[in-house]
Amino acid sequence: MNPLISLLQCLVLIISLFITISVSATRFNIPRLSPNAGAFVQGNYFARDHPKPLSAFDPVTEFQTIYYNQTLDHFNFRPDSFNTFQQRYLINFKHWGGSNISAPIFAYLGEEEAIDADLSIIGFLSENADKFQALQIFIEHRYYGQSVPFGSREEGFKNASTIGYFNSAQAMADYAEILIHVKKQLRAEHSPVIVIGASYGGMLASWFRLKYPHVALGALASSAPILYFEDIIPPEKGYYSIVTKDFQEASETCYQTIKKSWSEIDDIASKPEGLSFLSNKFRTCSPLTKSSELKDYLDTLYCEAAQYNSPPSYPVTVVCGGIDGVSSGNDTLSKIFAGVVAYYGNRSCYVNEPRNLSETDVGWSWQTCSDLVIPMGVSNESMFPPYQFDLQEYIDSCKALYGVPPRPHWATTYFGGHDIKLALYRFASNIIFSNGLRDPYSSGGVLENISDTVVAVLAKNGSHCLDVLLSDSTDPDWLVEQRKTEVKIIQGWLAEYYGELRAFEQ
Amino acid sequence: MNPLISLLQCLVLIISLFITISVSATRFNIPRLSPNAGAFVQGNYFARDHPKPLSAFDPVTEFQTIYYNQTLDHFNFRPDSFNTFQQRYLINFKHWGGSNISAPIFAYLGEEEAIDADLSIIGFLSENADKFQALQIFIEHRYYGQSVPFGSREEGFKNASTIGYFNSAQAMADYAEILIHVKKQLRAEHSPVIVIGASYGGMLASWFRLKYPHVALGALASSAPILYFEDIIPPEKGYYSIVTKDFQEASETCYQTIKKSWSEIDDIASKPEGLSFLSNKFRTCSPLTKSSELKDYLDTLYCEAAQYNSPPSYPVTVVCGGIDGVSSGNDTLSKIFAGVVAYYGNRSCYVNEPRNLSETDVGWSWQTCSDLVIPMGVSNESMFPPYQFDLQEYIDSCKALYGVPPRPHWATTYFGGHDIKLALYRFASNIIFSNGLRDPYSSGGVLENISDTVVAVLAKNGSHCLDVLLSDSTDPDWLVEQRKTEVKIIQGWLAEYYGELRAFEQ
């Protein structure tokens, strides 16, 4: 029997690993796969900067909240498997054309955060419901928000025996149960369901179409890096390579400054009083105890800026504006610090900011240590210090954290990924993989059409999940066009479906 | 916590339910979904009558037996989920063209019995391996044969906590793991896998192509009643309606005799000394204690004869030959008994034969009480006493047996089934649903083409799984043709695949 670690121990370990991680140790800071930049470790860019929605969308008044008595374990018949928990979903009938005309259902499949967050930032459903006469549903992912089994977060996350039911296969079965239930309740058996997901939720959406084609007619998978498993993506084409490219394209000097900053930080840190010097230089909230505290902070800042590098302000440009704005005579670290200030604005202190772990921190840490092992290597060509992903080390670290090991091969066993075109060219249909090519996670996305109906919709200048976020009057033309393309594709699926519905039901 | 029932209690309950079941109580005797007639409750027809194989196939010498360290629970990350068990598979390299030419792999997915049984009766792999230069693999289903978790059958079947991991979703994940492992070991990543299954194994094969298209290029699903769930098949078009049709087509008088026999049995049984009279009449091995013992025996005989109604002797014709052979002046029950004797041959006694439960009895009973709830109703039009399937009663009975309830909606949630043409017309590919229309389980099969590549291959006079059994010199032309058709379809899949392999890999 594996040792069971209490929530408290677990959090302490996570915190220590997140915050004090050294370059040589296992890197656990897999960037969040969320459409919501606010879910990032230090993330607040989105919250500060995101434009107000254009639409008169008001999630509080238009959506009904419903709790579904969900099965804890869909895949076994052990006595414990039959435990249930309350899973939250929200439903909006405002624009629905009804079951009489088998009007469609748009279902947003929640990712690693409370569904409230999605309700306030996702625009694709609310902005298109009218045009499609679509019912809107937002379903919360198990173990997030109000959908935590075992009665409380404390119990649900207590040890591997309770958190062990927390994985994507179970979450997808949850979604299937709820969607079938809703259709039955509404006598809308022939209403086609389009599932929409963003980031990790986009992975779930595309996988859902693959695993439950009888429940979902099609999927819009925004920024879904379904190929980021095992050895499919080599580090030199991975996440950090795109972050690097983003910065280099924004400014060659900025990129050069960042690239050489890491060794300067290490050099200074290794000297007597070096950490104290760095703490002063970066105005840290508490004195640095090792250089990795600073480096991880900067790493996260650059990743976050690149991942959510959205119009109108383009955070990468903002950071580089700060870095390049310091006159060339000055030292590298002054430039780097100027980049930090440009990004976060004036604060009393930076780095080692006192901060509570969010539920996304805790949940995502488990998910990347169980079924979603995303190997984040950094190649020599990047602007970051190189890092070779060591699978065994990763497994050992996860096991030390949770008492159970991850399953790094499970995602490709259950969902596939290798030779995806070969596997799906004559299989599947009706999936849009949308990606912004400036999004570092696009490196794990499907970037070319697999077939006529499993297609890639790309935005050269796009960032993470931009297409499904609320639209804005300042949106550039290419983003407006990208959304139109997606709507048109979905209209095509529906037209075909209704034709077949008429033909086959006769 | 549900009560845990020991193996002994469980078996006693199963026996009592199987043997003493009354017409008004829940019917648990769901006919086996096995290609092997020997697995039937009273089944011995196949063992007595099946022709010797034509081919020089010798499973013992040509196959290597390998044990794979299989994950107990693929879908959770609880400490117990990581337990493993030894899963048996057999592999035959004799005809394989090798990984250099990405020669294909034929994988037989075991159903509810030890894999040894399949090795001695399944012909499709051995008879076509040479032509396809195919590797042959037979994989045993978890909880059968030598692939029982928890170290022993006693432990594995002890209670719901140990038997609870026994279901088709877990079994399919087992198959995926083993096939991926074998391909990796052989460096045969691009060797296309064709999965072949018969009866319940055919369901697994077709579902496997749907759930794991990245592992299997195509599936031959022989006699797979994937639609026999929930309300998809009404009783008047179900299993018993085909049994009825088979007998009626064989002989109208035979059908009439059987149809009226049930009430005669009940009439006599209700009289003083009636059961004693029936016991003498049917030469029972022990005195009847209720009429249902006799009726269930006859029910099973007719079902078995119809399901395995194969050439050259056609058991339904044999039974009806017995029934019709008694001169018309004689009473109905003499005719019925003559049918019994014609089918089983001369024995010292019939009915209530002392008999040990087979592992298929025990395993299939669990499977039809967990994820495979197959509603077996009998309509008024059939030659059997009508029986209305009562879901709640069934659930209660399963719960009483095992301490946990079945999940009657899970199969359609996970695998679909309703409106299958609508769901799969533009999804999936490369599945052959083969059915013999005299097989009562064809009532739950896919009997028309869903698309160009998800196709039905039918044999009007065929019985259960005939196409994948060993061929014989006496096989009728239509059976020879059916097998040729299947081979040709699979050759087509492979030709397309190799074309795409060349095109996409460049």
Side-chain angles (χ1 to χ4, degrees), chain A residues 74-152:
Chain A
H74 301 276
F75 296 97
N76 292 305
F77 293 75
R78 302 171 62 255
D80 292 349
S81 309
F82 293 85
N83 289 338
T84 58
F85 65 98
Q86 297 300 298
Q87 184 171 14
R88 178 168 55 150
Y89 66 95
L90 293 101
I91 194 160
N92 183 331
F93 291 93
K94 187 175 173 187
H95 299 290
W96 195 41
S99 60
N100 286 348
I101 59 162
S102 295
I105 297 171
F106 283 178
Y108 185 84
L109 307 185
E111 68 293 322
E112 73 276 26
E113 60 195 324
I115 198 70
D116 316 73
D118 297 308
L119 277 166
S120 63
I121 64 168
I122 298 297
F124 194 89
L125 289 83
S126 57
E127 293 170 5
N128 292 299
D130 192 9
K131 188 181 299 143
F132 284 88
Q133 296 186 269
L135 183 71
Q136 299 171 65
I137 307 178
F138 281 72
I139 315 178
E140 191 162 68
H141 191 292
R142 58 165 56 195
Y143 286 84
Y144 290 103
Q146 297 174 18
S147 303
V148 181
F150 296 99
S152 69

Side-chain angles (χ1 to χ4, degrees), chain A residues 177-397:
Chain A
E177 267 208 24
I178 287 178
L179 289 170
I180 289 170
H181 166 79
V182 167
K183 289 180 75 170
K184 201 173 247 174
Q185 290 285 309
L186 300 175
R187 298 174 189 278
E189 277 86 354
H190 287 144
S191 283
V193 174
I194 306 296
V195 289
I196 296 133
S199 201
Y200 162 52
M203 297 160 72
L204 294 175
S206 64
W207 289 337
F208 193 83
R209 170 64 179 156
L210 289 173
K211 297 290 185 204
Y212 298 88
H214 50 288
V215 184
L217 176 71
L220 169 55
S222 176
S223 300
I226 60 163
L227 305 181
Y228 222 129
F229 295 102
E230 280 189 333
D231 56 352
I232 304 175
I233 307 299
E236 65 273 17
K237 292 183 177 173
Y239 188 98
Y240 285 91
S241 77
I242 311 279
V243 181
T244 300
K245 192 169 136 285
D246 287 351
F247 276 84
Q248 193 165 15
E249 284 181 3
S251 157
E252 178 69 26
T253 53
C254 172
Y255 153 80
Q256 291 292 353
T257 303
I258 293 169
K259 193 174 168 72
K260 69 183 175 187
S261 69
W262 310 104
S263 60
E264 291 203 20
I265 291 170
D266 282 333
D267 284 350
I268 294 171
S270 68
K271 288 176 185 154
E273 299 300 316
L275 286 173
S276 171
F277 174 85
L278 289 171
S279 300
N280 283 328
K281 186 93 188 172
F282 282 86
R283 229 188 286 161
T284 62
C285 299
S286 63
L288 294 169
T289 62
K290 48 176 105 169
S291 65
S292 61
E293 288 169 7
L294 174 58
K295 289 190 294 184
D296 287 349
Y297 178 88
L298 295 171
D299 178 310
T300 301
L301 185 158
Y302 303 141
C303 289
E304 184 182 311
Q307 189 165 322
Y308 302 98
N309 190 31
S310 62
S313 57
Y314 296 106
V316 170
T317 310
V318 170
V319 174
C320 282
I323 289 175
D324 289 341
V326 176
S327 63
S328 59
N330 278 58
D331 65 303
T332 301
L333 297 190
S334 295
K335 294 178 182 176
I336 296 295
F337 183 59
V340 172
V341 175
Y343 184 67
Y344 284 119
N346 270 315
R347 291 186 175 183
S348 60
C349 64
Y350 304 86
V351 199
N352 287 352
E353 287 160 304
R355 172 175 173 277
N356 293 323
L357 286 177
S358 71
E359 63 167 307
T360 295
D361 293 335
V362 177
W364 187 242
S365 172
W366 163 258
Q367 292 198 267
T368 54
C369 262
S370 50
D371 66 332
L372 302 175
V373 174
I374 297 168
M376 281 275 164
V378 185
S379 74
N380 291 326
E381 290 73 37
S382 95
M383 70 179 192
F384 295 91
Y387 172 75
Q388 198 169 358
F389 180 78
D390 182 326
L391 181 60
Q392 193 52 54
E393 193 177 73
Y394 192 87
I395 290 170
D396 295 344
S397 305

